[in-house]
Amino acid sequence: GINAEYGRVLLDMAPVPRISVPMNFGRHLLDSPTHSTLELRANKGTSVRASSVILSFNSPVIDHMTTTLHLTSVDMEEFSEEAVRYFVDAAYTGESPPVSRVMFRDVNKLANVFKMDWLVERLAGQFTCMAEAIQEGI
């Protein structure tokens, strides 16, 4: 009757609960051909596979490339596989462990080109620490 109809309307209006997903959600699926829908082609013919969804949450550039342009691969052949993996791991975990001086340029450029702003900010802090260490002769 009318009460059942009213109850259904109230259920339809109930807010959908928001869930929290840990930053390392899906990390174990990296390089999986079924779950990692985006191929990032690094130098020397290597590639890293990652979820376009997780990378899109972190990078508006990758979001545009996958959502609007429907790309399934991105040429990153200027960068080493190690730098591309660091970039992907950062997107998955929200962490930015110290980068070697050798790899800093590549990781910093990846973060800037793909507009991963939080990583750019953290790398700027790492750069300051590197510069201070050089001044101190470490």
Side-chain angles (χ1 to χ4, degrees), residues 5-14:
E5 184 67 27
Y6 180 72
R8 190 164 41 87
V9 169
L10 285 178
L11 284 176
D12 288 343
M13 293 174 36

Side-chain angles (χ1 to χ4, degrees), residues 8 15 18 20 24-25 28 37 40 46 51-52 68 74 77 99 102-104 108 115 121 134-135:
R8 190 164 41 87
R18 296 187 60 89
S20 296
N24 63 357
F25 174 77
H28 65 286
T37 57
L40 308 173
T46 60
S51 167
S52 61
T68 306
V74 178
E77 294 167 354
V99 180
V102 174
M103 199 171 70
F104 182 84
N108 188 54
K115 298 186 188 309
E121 190 174 315
I134 291 169
Q135 282 183 330

Side-chain angles (χ1 to χ4, degrees), residues 57-93:
F57 284 144
N58 286 275
S59 166
V61 175
I62 291 177
D63 183 43
H64 175 74
M65 293 171 92
T66 57
T67 306
T68 306
L69 303 177
H70 307 289
L71 297 180
T72 58
S73 65
V74 178
D75 288 330
M76 295 182 168
E77 294 167 354
E78 175 183 344
F79 307 105
S80 69
E81 179 185 4
E82 183 182 19
V84 173
R85 283 198 184 279
Y86 182 100
F87 176 79
V88 169
D89 279 345
Y92 271 74
T93 65

